Structures are given as C-alpha cells and as structure tokens.
Amino acid sequence: MKVRSTTIIGVIKDGKAALGGDGQVTLGNTVMKHNSTKIRKLLNGKVLCGFAGSTADAFTLLERFEEKLEAFSGNVSRAVVELAKDWRTDKYLRRLEAMLAVITQDKAFIVSGNGDVIEPEDNIVAIGSGGMYALAAAKMLKKYSNLSAKEIVEESLKTAADICIYTNDRITIEVIE
C-alpha cells in the first residue's frame, strides 16, 4: 500500500527563515494520524529540516544529514551535497523513499533520492503531496504581501490543506531569526 503524507513549505524573507508542515499521515485512503511533527531543528537551531515520504526512510535520511552536518562543521551546502551523493550511490540508501527540505537563515535546499540538490532562486522550498499547492501560495504571498516568513508558511499550509486530501490544518512551524 502506498503511503502518502505531508506538505512541507519553507520561506526565507527579511533575514528570517520559517519551515512548516502539516500533521497528517495517510495510509492508502485512511488517515492514520492527525498530529505528526515533520519538522526538526538541527545544529542548535541554526538549521531546519522537514521531511516527506515514508516515515522510517525520512528518519534514516534525517540522521544521515545530521551526521553530514557534524562532519562538515555545520557547512549546510556541503552537507546536502554529500548526503545526495551517498543517497544516490549507496545500495541501501538508494531504496529510501523520502525527500528533505532544508532551510537556514539564508539558504534553502530540496534534497531527493535521485541525487538532486535544488537551491531555489526565490528561497522557497516545498515538498510532499501538497507541496506544489503551498509553493504557489507562498510565491504569491511573498511577492504581493507584507507578511513575515512565518505568516507566509502558515497561510500556504492552510491553502494546501484546503486543496490536498493528504494535508491537514494541524500545522507545526519553526523559525530561525
């Protein structure tokens, strides 16, 4: 049975970064949990990481990412590239079905199992079932409003929850100021 879950959205604006996610976990056509937390603070709160996909796989990748952060003295750009390399080439990691969104005060990345490391030009990252709905909302809110990064993340997640059946409105948001 295919596991579907999550909307993760991150925004950097005015020197502040916010990363948020919904709480829904779905198995097939059944909601299994409403209040899951899919956002983690890393490196003493300097890095935020959100995950989408298979939960066990996501936790494995999150642990590997933390190891890379430590190995490269907190250099997030290097850590995401090295994680993607391992993910792509390691026999065990290659089978993991998840994605990571990573955000700092000034950088945002999406890391996938295909070896992709994407650093969006507009400093907005989105992954998961409702990610593209939240992304569209965040782009417009960032461009045409005076909302803070946290407010943009919150409103974008609410928009995704209104549209995507795999996203709910039980939102967790973490901020780096």
Side-chain angles (χ1 to χ4, degrees):
M1 202 177 280
K2 187 169 184 174
V3 177
R4 295 184 184 260
S5 61
T6 301
T7 298
I8 302 293
I9 182 84
V11 175
I12 300 171
K13 184 178 178 191
D14 300 329
K16 295 180 182 170
L19 187 69
D22 76 307
Q24 184 167 298
V25 176
T26 311
L27 181 60
N29 59 1
T30 304
V31 176
M32 301 299 289
K33 188 171 182 177
H34 298 282
N35 61 347
S36 181
T37 302
K38 305 162 194 167
I39 306 294
R40 300 289 185 270
K41 282 185 170 185
L42 307 173
L43 206 63
N44 298 318
K46 294 177 184 170
V47 178
L48 300 175
C49 186
F51 52 86
S54 172
T55 305
D57 292 355
F59 279 123
T60 300
L61 291 169
L62 187 61
E63 287 173 13
R64 289 288 182 111
F65 179 57
E66 282 186 288
E67 291 170 8
K68 295 295 182 189
L69 277 175
E70 289 176 22
F72 296 107
S73 304
N75 182 332
V76 177
S77 299
R78 180 87 188 269
V80 295
V81 168
E82 293 301 322
L83 175 66
K85 280 186 198 175
D86 287 356
W87 197 351
R88 182 79 172 141
T89 58
D90 184 273
K91 266 176 119 173
Y92 169 72
L93 291 179
R94 212 176 16 224
R95 295 189 186 123
L96 299 181
E97 295 182 14
M99 292 183 80
L100 298 179
V102 177
I103 199 161
T104 67
Q105 212 165 359
D106 60 348
K107 293 192 178 281
F109 300 97
I110 295 171
V111 187
S112 82
N114 295 328
D116 299 318
V117 175
I118 301 163
E119 185 176 5
E121 294 171 353
D122 58 4
N123 287 321
I124 301 172
V125 290
I127 59 174
S129 301
M132 294 307 103
Y133 304 117
L135 178 63
K139 284 180 173 286
M140 291 301 99
L141 289 170
K142 187 174 181 183
K143 187 174 182 177
Y144 294 111
S145 78
N146 292 320
L147 296 177
S148 69
K150 181 180 180 181
E151 292 167 326
I152 292 170
V153 166
E154 183 175 8
E155 292 303 318
S156 298
L157 284 166
K158 287 178 183 177
T159 297
D162 286 345
I163 300 168
C164 179
I165 63 171
Y166 300 108
T167 304
N168 72 10
D169 61 0
R170 297 194 189 167
I171 295 168
T172 302
I173 300 173
E174 295 288 351
V175 178
I176 302 173
E177 298 194 46

